[in-house]
Amino acid sequence: MLVLNCSTKLLILEKMLKSYFPESLKVYGAVMNMNRGNPFQKEVVVDSWPDFKAVITRRQKEAETDNLDHYSNAYAVFYKDVRAYQHLLEEHDVINWDQVFQIQGLQSELHDVSKAVANSKQLGVKLTSFKAAQFFPHPLLPDTSSLKGSATRLTYLNVADADLLNRTWSRGGNEQCLRYITKLISCFPSVCVRDDKGNPVSWSLTDQFSTVCHGYTLPEHRRKGYSQLVFLTLARKLQSRGFPCQGNVLDDNTASISLLKNLCVEFLPCNYHRLILTPAAFSG
């Protein structure tokens, strides 16, 4: 196990990961953020260098942490050889097995291998799988006609909006999520539509893996074109900074799937998998 601390090696890794799209997208997004200020205090673990077979991104040990915060205690995984990934999991000090955390990636064996090692350590594993999607640059411009003739405006989120986002996110509603969303808003690109009172009515933001997340429009403001406007604006913002525009959607979220299809988003051949792992001490 090697920790890549050298900035030159991290830049090389970023370029190398592009050769393994789309499976490497989550790790690639995390490494891009590391190479641009590292606001989430991440680091990279590889099985070997430069001929790596497995890569894991994780929080630095000196980063402030909450053992119940699986939002921030997040690992992204990419491997060329699933056995190398398993060996990294089994190595001492690669994963903090004493806290609630998540593992995510875009490869099919991720769940079975992670679950096998977690079971040996008596952790519970909850898997959620999503359709993975990527938006590529094209000439379609965001349609701002829905904002004309009103005091509604297109802008970005600020930390004062975090409580609203925490209450409306299907994964939210708790102290850890509120803290996590506040951090995302502070660190990464976001877009929102605000009403005449300055309150957000439609929004989307970007996470620590450069993934578009928590796209949401308040029910009373739907069917006005806001979701499309927010998504296209955020996609262009990410692409202007050199980031891929990637996202995930649950199989039964027909409204979001329909929106993405209308925007000519490409659904990837691989699914996105998120595993939440819970030690027995926190299982309740």
Side-chain angles (χ1 to χ4, degrees), residues 44-201:
V44 170
V45 177
V46 294
D47 64 312
S48 58
W49 184 260
D51 185 24
F52 68 87
K53 294 183 177 64
V55 185
I56 297 176
T57 66
R58 65 183 187 184
R59 294 292 298 278
Q60 294 173 343
K61 287 199 167 33
E62 56 268 28
E64 226 178 282
T65 188
D66 173 348
N67 284 336
L68 294 175
D69 182 6
H70 73 267
Y71 306 94
S72 300
N73 303 330
Y75 300 76
V77 172
F78 168 70
Y79 50 81
K80 294 186 277 185
D81 182 338
V82 68
R83 292 169 299 180
Y85 168 55
Q86 181 173 344
H87 291 157
L88 274 184
L89 283 183
E90 292 170 340
E91 276 206 37
H92 174 69
D93 218 27
V94 173
I95 303 291
N96 183 350
W97 299 96
D98 296 324
Q99 59 183 197
V100 185
F101 65 96
Q102 64 171 287
I103 297 176
Q104 56 175 266
L106 292 158
Q107 292 170 282
S108 58
E109 304 100 334
L110 182 65
H111 172 251
D112 289 344
V113 172
S114 304
K115 190 175 192 307
V117 179
N119 284 347
S120 72
K121 298 178 181 295
Q122 299 184 312
L123 275 78
V125 180
K126 179 183 177 182
L127 168 69
T128 310
S129 294
F130 305 74
K131 290 183 182 295
Q134 189 171 3
F135 181 79
F136 295 93
H138 64 70
L140 185 62
L141 293 173
D143 180 7
T144 58
S145 60
S146 59
L147 304 182
K148 292 179 181 176
S150 73
T152 310
R153 60 193 175 94
L154 185 67
T155 180
Y156 50 84
L157 294 164
N158 59 57
V159 294
D161 305 317
D163 183 63
L164 173 62
L165 270 67
N166 184 36
R167 286 186 280 112
T168 52
W169 200 5
S170 60
R171 296 177 56 203
N174 57 72
E175 176 188 343
Q176 289 80 17
C177 187
L178 176 61
R179 190 165 57 240
Y180 178 65
I181 289 173
T182 301
K183 181 79 169 174
L184 293 185
I185 292 172
S186 301
C187 296
F188 303 124
S190 64
V191 172
C192 77
V193 173
R194 295 185 185 274
D195 64 15
D196 56 356
K197 297 179 181 178
N199 300 314
V201 298

